[in-house]
Amino acid sequence: MDTIINAEINSTMLLDDSMPILQVENVSAYYGAFRAVKDVNMNIPAKAVTAIIGPSGCGKSTLLRCFNRMHEVAHAARVEGKIMFDGNNIYSIGTDPVRIRCHIGMVFQKPNPFPTMSVLDNVVAGRRLSSLWTKRSEMEELAEKCLRQAALWDEVKDKLKQSGASLSGGQQQRLCIARALAVQPEIILMDEPCSALDPIATIKIEDLMRTLTEEYTIVVVTHNMQQAGRVSDMTAFMLMSDDRAGELIEYGTTQQVFTNPRDKRTEDYITGRFG
């Protein structure tokens, strides 16, 4: 079965021929009058890793932030088009962006634990803000579960009362992943989550991404071609067009994009001829 998803034909075929968890339809993102992302169409499969690659400035992070309405937090920012999640357009009038972000969480490039909070309180911070649940025993139980999912429990189980900022960089990033998991999302967006980490911490995050796909969908922006090849099932390649707007050049299985790209620009980027 042909499993290639090509940006130009906007196929709905996925890795397992099931419905996508996110359907991106003619999405453009603006900062004021400037269009940063232009007419993106792609279907993102559930419980898989989708990597977004491309040179700096091509709109990768902006597109990622559109997926959970983080883009509109920027001054004068707006989005055109549709992003369908659970059969609903997340940009429909009346849709609560805070609730969307509970279902579609985000991990940023630089680890950002709350420095005045303990490790345990960092994990449950989002859950506290999004519900009325307050029992300490439940918080502790949830924190342990999420820290185990983030492959961090064994390293911090004796440090739960210490500041989250006291952990190493790699531990802080996994703490932020645990915090994202605590609100029970279906999708986790990751914006270059390993760019500030050493190789050992990077391997731990990559291994964690693969493990998390047993329960979650991962969409990751990365500049690291080797990383995209190692961890992702699908790969989207973006470039800046002549009008400086980022556009989706090619989207397919990672194997197809890396070994048999349909567009010469994709091949040139992956082989290091530019970017």
Side-chain angles (χ1 to χ4, degrees), residues 106-161:
M106 191 158 199
V107 176
F108 297 93
Q109 181 175 359
K110 183 178 179 181
N112 60 346
F114 303 124
T116 59
M117 290 186 182
S118 68
V119 170
L120 187 149
D121 287 336
N122 259 279
V123 176
V124 299
R127 185 65 175 263
R128 276 176 162 171
L129 291 173
S130 62
S131 73
L132 299 176
W133 155 88
T134 55
K135 288 184 180 179
R136 188 70 181 180
S137 60
E138 291 180 3
M139 284 190 280
E140 292 173 352
E141 183 178 339
L142 177 66
E144 178 177 348
K145 175 185 176 182
C146 294
L147 288 167
R148 287 187 183 278
Q149 286 182 304
L152 188 58
W153 173 253
D154 289 339
E155 298 172 41
V156 301
K157 61 185 178 182
D158 298 322
K159 304 177 182 178
L160 296 179
K161 295 182 180 180

Side-chain angles (χ1 to χ4, degrees), residues 36-38 40 52-60 236-250 263-266 268-269 274-275:
V37 171
K38 177 170 65 177
V40 170
I52 304 176
I53 64 173
S56 297
C58 70
K60 303 183 301 297
F237 171 57
M238 296 184 68
L239 267 184
M240 186 186 297
S241 61
D242 292 338
D243 61 0
R244 296 175 58 221
E247 58 182 351
L248 183 60
I249 302 301
E250 186 163 352
D263 193 292
K264 182 65 162 54
R265 292 168 293 179
T266 309
D268 287 347
Y269 182 74
F274 75 91

